[in-house]
């Protein structure tokens, strides 16, 4: 389902979340970072200014790779870190991300049925945001 993305103040906020470092194997990082680069470059071409938003997962993975790619491409990077460990704190952080972004991508390891990233995607969709699940 495609939705119109309304951008305020000329900068689009792209949420990029997904599987943490425990889920990925050798070689996956390069592949996932290239997917993130393509996403971010697309929005740079379309909107000019881009803010990359992540959850700053301490276990690495998609959140950290999104931050690295965002900085590499000269984007503003905003990280919403959980204030503690456990679902209560992760949910709070994920809800903030869903409210803050204009669009949200969840990049998950293929075969996962549920994750915090998928929760964030579902929440963003409920808020009327444009979302995309990418399974690798």
């Amino acid at each position: 389902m495609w939705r119109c993305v309304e951008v305020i103040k000329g900068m689009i906020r792209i949420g990029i979340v997904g599987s943490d470092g425990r889920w990925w194997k050798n070689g996956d990082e390069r592949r996932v970072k290239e997917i993130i680069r393509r996403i971010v470059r697309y929005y740079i071409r379309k909107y000019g200014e881009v803010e990359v938003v992540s959850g700053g997962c301490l276990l690495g993975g998609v959140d950290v790779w999104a931050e690295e790619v965002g900085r590499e491409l000269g984007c503003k990077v905003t990280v919403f870190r959980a204030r503690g460990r456990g679902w209560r704190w992760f949910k709070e952080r994920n809800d903030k991300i869903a409210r803050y972004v204009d669009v949200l991508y969840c990049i998950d390891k293929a075969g996962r049925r549920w994750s915090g990233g998928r929760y964030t995607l579902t929440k963003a969709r409920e808020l009327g945001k444009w979302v995309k699940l990418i399974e690798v």
Side-chain angles (χ1 to χ4, degrees), residues 27 36 39 64 70 73 78 81 94 107 110 115:
I36 295 168
I39 292 167
V64 173
L73 297 177
T78 300
R81 296 198 193 285
N94 296 347
I107 305 172
S115 68

Side-chain angles (χ1 to χ4, degrees), residues 6-133:
E6 179 182 345
V7 179
I8 300 170
K9 300 179 187 170
M11 180 181 290
I12 188 161
R13 296 176 295 210
I14 310 165
I16 302 177
V17 299
S19 297
D20 68 48
R22 297 172 296 177
W23 290 90
W24 303 105
K25 305 284 186 226
N26 291 339
D28 287 339
E29 178 178 353
R30 186 178 60 188
R31 185 172 175 205
V32 172
K33 278 185 166 182
E34 189 51 41
I35 292 168
I36 295 168
R37 276 187 200 93
R38 280 190 250 139
I39 292 167
V40 175
R41 285 181 181 138
Y42 167 80
Y43 286 100
I44 290 171
R45 283 192 306 275
K46 187 166 181 168
Y47 295 98
E49 290 186 78
V50 170
E51 179 178 355
V52 174
V53 179
S54 93
C57 180
L58 298 176
L59 298 172
V62 173
D63 288 6
V64 173
W65 300 335
E67 295 167 35
E68 292 170 0
V69 169
R71 288 185 185 98
E72 167 192 315
L73 297 177
C75 299
K76 177 180 178 183
V77 174
T78 300
V79 180
F80 287 88
R81 296 198 193 285
R83 294 190 303 146
R85 299 223 11 114
W87 178 240
R88 170 188 174 192
W89 303 111
F90 300 151
K91 180 181 180 299
E92 176 188 78
R93 175 212 43 211
N94 296 347
D95 288 343
K96 286 179 184 177
I97 292 169
R99 284 191 303 271
Y100 185 77
V101 300
D102 299 307
V103 299
L104 187 120
Y105 288 82
C106 176
I107 305 172
D108 251 350
K109 189 70 175 172
R112 291 194 76 186
R113 296 176 66 87
W114 189 248
S115 68
R118 287 178 190 233
Y119 168 84
T120 309
L121 179 135
T122 300
K123 189 69 172 181
R125 181 185 297 126
E126 289 171 1
L127 294 169
K129 310 295 178 82
W130 187 91
V131 300
K132 173 94 174 155
L133 173 64

